[in-house]
Amino acid sequence: MMMTAIQLPLADRTEAGRLLAEALPDYLGRMDLLVLALPRGGVPVAAEVARALAAPLDLMLVRKLGVPGQPELAMGAIASGGAQVLNPDIIRALGISRPAIERVTESEQRELERRETAYRGTRLPPALAGRCVILVDDGLATGATMRVAVQAAAAHGPAELVVAVPVASTEAVDLVAEQADRVVELATPEPFMGVGAWYDRFSQTTDDEVRALLDEAWQREDHHSS
């Protein structure tokens, strides 16, 4: 866990990414480094981190499982490759049935597959085995989405698994720290009130913005490797 003094609210995700990169100097120049963004909001943050650390950028596709009727409240999350994390406390407290969970999971699985095609096209996912992987999002509220991202990445055998976010709740940091090798967060404001509360500009990142940032990063990577 790491904390750096920053001024809140952050201007936007781009500024958040620049500040987050400054908190990761140990990773600059590592040849085995890979930065994985959680779409969509994590992509602008991760793009700045990857650029500053001269690292390749790619995606860890994850979908939150929203509570029926309260989609912003996470009862769990899924990731590419079949990884799933559920929040039993929320499921039990709200009396959510297994069929309801399955319906939401099926819907989010379809969206996950759509995004895989929309963002990646025919480009193959990167190999994670033996690499230092930094998972980046724009913030952690419950931590459910990042926990499933960590679980999905860990299944591929990375040498080191780091989670890096600009803002997070202390509860989410504690949960994610149980699974990741290291958690780097710039601020853990209390009461947390949600990720968007700590940004001046927090408009939804679009599919077009995601593709543009990935294309720029992939062109840079292909140029360096040619």
Side-chain angles (χ1 to χ4, degrees):
M1 186 188 303
M2 175 178 178
M3 291 193 63
T4 303
I6 61 166
Q7 188 171 349
L8 295 173
L10 297 158
D12 55 20
R13 292 180 179 92
T14 300
E15 181 195 60
R18 292 189 190 121
L19 291 170
L20 191 57
E22 291 174 7
L24 297 162
D26 301 353
Y27 300 95
L28 179 62
R30 281 188 60 158
M31 299 303 294
D32 64 343
L33 189 61
L34 175 65
V35 175
L36 294 182
L38 275 63
R40 290 181 290 203
V43 178
V45 183
E48 293 298 323
V49 172
R51 187 180 293 114
L53 299 182
L57 173 68
D58 216 288
L59 301 175
M60 171 54 71
L61 283 152
V62 180
R63 291 294 294 168
K64 177 172 65 179
L65 301 178
V67 169
Q70 301 180 65
E72 288 306 308
L73 180 59
M75 61 178 175
I78 57 171
S80 295
Q84 182 187 63
V85 167
L86 294 175
N87 186 327
D89 293 339
I90 287 179
I91 290 168
R92 188 165 48 246
L94 297 179
I96 302 167
S97 68
R98 172 55 61 177
I101 295 169
E102 290 173 355
R103 281 194 297 273
V104 173
T105 302
E106 288 168 8
S107 174
E108 294 301 341
Q109 181 65 36
R110 288 193 296 272
E111 175 61 13
L112 194 119
E113 291 165 1
R114 182 198 72 80
R115 290 188 178 198
E116 183 90 48
T117 301
Y119 300 155
R120 199 186 297 286
T122 58
R123 191 180 182 98
L124 294 174
L128 308 190
R131 301 180 75 168
C132 174
V133 176
I134 302 180
L135 290 164
V136 178
D137 205 351
D138 53 15
L140 301 179
T142 67
T145 306
M146 185 59 79
R147 284 174 63 210
V148 77
V150 170
Q151 185 183 97
H156 294 276
E160 184 179 359
L161 198 47
V162 179
V163 170
V165 293
V167 293
S169 69
T170 53
E171 295 85 359
V173 169
D174 290 344
L175 281 172
V176 172
E178 293 174 3
Q179 297 174 296
D181 295 310
R182 183 183 180 192
V183 179
V184 177
E185 78 283 353
L186 301 182
T188 52
E190 295 290 348
F192 190 69
M193 301 185 298
V195 174
W198 307 109
Y199 286 82
D200 275 335
R201 294 185 294 280
F202 198 69
S203 57
Q204 189 172 79
T205 306
T206 67
D207 283 352
D208 286 344
E209 288 169 333
V210 170
R211 279 191 290 266
L213 288 166
L214 287 174
D215 286 346
E216 178 188 334
W218 288 342
Q219 286 173 18
R220 190 168 63 242
E221 183 185 344
D222 292 343
H223 175 74
H224 287 160
S225 61
S226 62

